[in-house]
Amino acid sequence: MKKERKGKIVVGLAVLTALCISAKFPVPVQTVHAEEAQLPAETNTSFSKARDLEFGVSMAGRLSENDSRRYYKFSLGQASRLDIGFKRSQGFGNAKIKIFDATQTEIYSASENYEESFSLDAIYLTGGDYYLLVDEERNITFSFIVNMDPAGESFTETQDSNNDMASGASVVSLKQKYKGVLAQNDDIDYYKFQVPAAGRITLNLTNSANDSARYVVYDDSLNPVYTNTISRESKTSQPVSVKSGDYYLAVAKYDVNKGTGSYTFSIDYTKKNTSAPKIKSVKNTSSGTISVKWSHVNGADGYELWYSTKSNFKSSVTKKETEASVTSTDCYGLSRNKKYYTRIRAYSEINGIREYGKWSSRKSVVIKR
């Protein structure tokens, strides 16, 4: 009886197998990866249950269609650079990696059909508490490593304490070097400085961010005095004439959707020199021509030369301007056997207004040829 029953079971199984094959029923196959067997039960499926992220340590997990999110939390004491590398059991799937700030507001998102191994571009964040989300609706295992490097800002910025507005500007001194960072959650930085007397400031700026940056100098009433743009991985030294008083420097992303990274700057200063240039020589060098040479004046934006047949310069005056780098010029079309008097002064332009220095002593020459 037992043999007969056993024979019927064997026959029944054979028939069922034949039916499955003939009907082409799918045969479920479950692949278990070595990583899965080592993973503990995962509970980090929400912000409130986020797992602590350890920098420089491999973090592993698994996802499925019905369980597609893993949350991790971490803290930064100052603005820092994050470099993130991922590895998955399957490639070419739409993986989403997002970062949220302490208020659970999304500040970074990357979503692509990545291969099994991939790295994200450098991510800059201010100091504060954050969450990292890994999201992919497939049956996969994954691992990732986050490396963190403090950016070394001169003024520590966090989500709660920063220089994102003029009212919270970081106070800087002239002729000192500073470093700042534009981050995913930091689009602009303000700095405040004081100019002791009218003169010229020179902004020495190096942009190491991954896109162009914009910089603006404001006066104490936040009226723009100077605006310019510096491209990525570039340097600039821009002179700006200013009056005495308090000023602001703002450094910002040219495009708020990109342009993260560090920058350095210093503000040099040269006091306006009101001293008069000294005319070194006035010579009749050729027919109807005189050549005038004078001394350089520090801080000048240019020079204004007057020449006339009248020693008091009340009439018959011709004026000629040169740039600050020029300390000689030729004057043409002068009358033979006439005596010409010359004098010169330096000028500076501050906020579009020209200010002149003192006149030099006059010097004369007779046109003999």
Side-chain angles (χ1 to χ4, degrees):
M1 185 70 178
K2 289 183 179 179
K3 289 183 179 181
E4 182 179 350
R5 186 180 301 168
K6 184 176 180 181
K8 289 181 179 179
I9 293 173
V10 172
V11 171
L13 287 173
V15 172
L16 181 59
T17 300
L19 288 174
C20 287
I21 294 173
S22 62
K24 296 183 179 180
F25 286 170
V27 179
V29 178
Q30 183 175 4
T31 302
V32 179
H33 296 274
E35 296 93 330
E36 285 191 25
Q38 300 170 7
L39 292 175
E42 295 178 271
T43 59
N44 55 326
T45 55
S46 65
F47 285 109
S48 61
K49 298 178 180 179
R51 177 183 171 188
D52 287 334
L53 188 153
E54 298 180 66
F55 296 120
V57 175
S58 180
M59 312 291 292
R62 61 170 166 254
L63 300 170
S64 66
E65 294 181 5
N66 299 320
D67 185 21
S68 65
R69 294 188 169 197
R70 295 291 178 266
Y71 290 83
Y72 302 84
K73 59 183 177 180
F74 61 95
S75 296
L76 300 173
Q78 60 176 287
S80 302
R81 167 178 171 156
L82 303 184
D83 292 287
I84 306 178
F86 273 84
K87 184 176 181 180
R88 303 176 302 164
S89 57
Q90 300 178 51
F92 298 103
N94 189 248
K96 302 179 184 68
I97 295 91
K98 298 183 179 182
I99 295 178
F100 302 82
D101 65 16
T103 65
Q104 299 178 13
T105 300
E106 182 182 315
I107 59 174
Y108 174 85
S109 178
S111 177
E112 289 187 32
N113 286 319
Y114 294 108
E115 296 185 1
E116 289 187 15
S117 297
F118 63 93
S119 298
L120 301 178
D121 292 336
I123 302 169
Y124 285 86
L125 302 172
T126 65
D129 296 327
Y130 295 93
Y131 298 91
L132 184 145
L133 168 64
V134 180
D135 182 357
E136 185 170 355
E137 296 179 352
R138 290 199 303 167
N139 295 317
I140 66 164
T141 58
F142 66 91
S143 63
F144 67 94
I145 294 179
V146 180
N147 290 318
M148 183 274 291
D149 289 313
E153 276 189 304
S154 298
F155 301 93
T156 300
E157 287 189 276
T158 67
Q159 297 168 35
D160 301 321
S161 178
N162 51 62
N163 55 6
D164 295 352
M165 299 180 66
S167 57
S170 300
V171 178
V172 298
S173 299
L174 300 173
K175 299 185 178 181
Q176 291 192 24
K177 190 173 183 178
Y178 297 93
K179 183 177 183 180
V181 169
L182 297 174
Q184 293 294 145
N185 52 341
D186 181 24
D187 298 333
I188 189 169
D189 295 332
Y190 281 90
Y191 302 92
K192 188 175 183 178
F193 61 96
Q194 187 177 60
V195 176
R200 176 183 294 165
I201 59 171
T202 301
L203 301 173
N204 303 304
L205 188 64
T206 300
N207 178 23
S208 299
N210 59 17
D211 199 66
S212 298
R214 180 170 52 89
Y215 61 101
V216 185
V217 177
Y218 296 95
D219 64 18
D220 194 30
S221 299
L222 292 179
N223 298 310
V225 174
Y226 182 82
T227 302
N228 209 340
T229 300
I230 178 172
S231 57
R232 58 181 292 183
E233 303 298 333
S234 296
K235 297 180 180 181
T236 184
S237 293
Q238 182 60 50
V240 181
S241 294
V242 291
K243 297 179 178 180
S244 62
D246 292 330
Y247 289 85
Y248 296 89
L249 168 66
V251 182
K253 298 175 184 174
Y254 185 77
D255 182 340
V256 295
N257 296 313
K258 51 186 177 180
T260 60
S262 64
Y263 60 89
T264 58
F265 72 93
S266 63
I267 306 173
D268 290 338
Y269 165 72
T270 303
K271 182 180 179 181
K272 185 182 78 170
N273 193 336
T274 58
S275 61
K278 180 181 179 181
I279 296 180
K280 294 181 177 181
S281 64
V282 181
K283 296 179 180 180
N284 179 200
T285 54
S286 61
S287 179
T289 302
I290 60 172
S291 178
V292 185
K293 295 182 179 181
W294 61 90
S295 61
H296 173 72
V297 174
N298 290 331
D301 289 318
Y303 302 94
E304 185 180 73
L305 172 71
W306 287 21
Y307 57 95
S308 172
T309 55
K310 305 294 184 180
S311 61
N312 59 6
F313 296 94
K314 296 292 185 180
S315 60
S316 304
V317 174
T318 301
K319 302 176 183 179
K320 187 171 184 178
E321 293 183 358
T322 70
E323 298 178 354
S325 60
V326 176
T327 56
S328 66
T329 190
D330 292 330
C331 305
Y332 304 97
L334 309 184
S335 300
R336 190 175 180 182
N337 296 323
K338 287 277 190 177
K339 188 175 186 179
Y340 283 85
Y341 298 88
T342 63
R343 66 179 183 177
I344 191 169
R345 60 182 176 177
Y347 67 83
S348 59
E349 289 187 358
I350 300 176
N351 299 342
I353 299 174
R354 182 172 291 188
E355 295 186 5
Y356 292 94
K358 298 176 182 178
W359 283 109
S360 67
S361 298
R362 67 186 183 185
K363 209 171 188 74
S364 61
V365 62
V366 175
I367 307 303
K368 295 182 178 180
R369 53 177 175 171

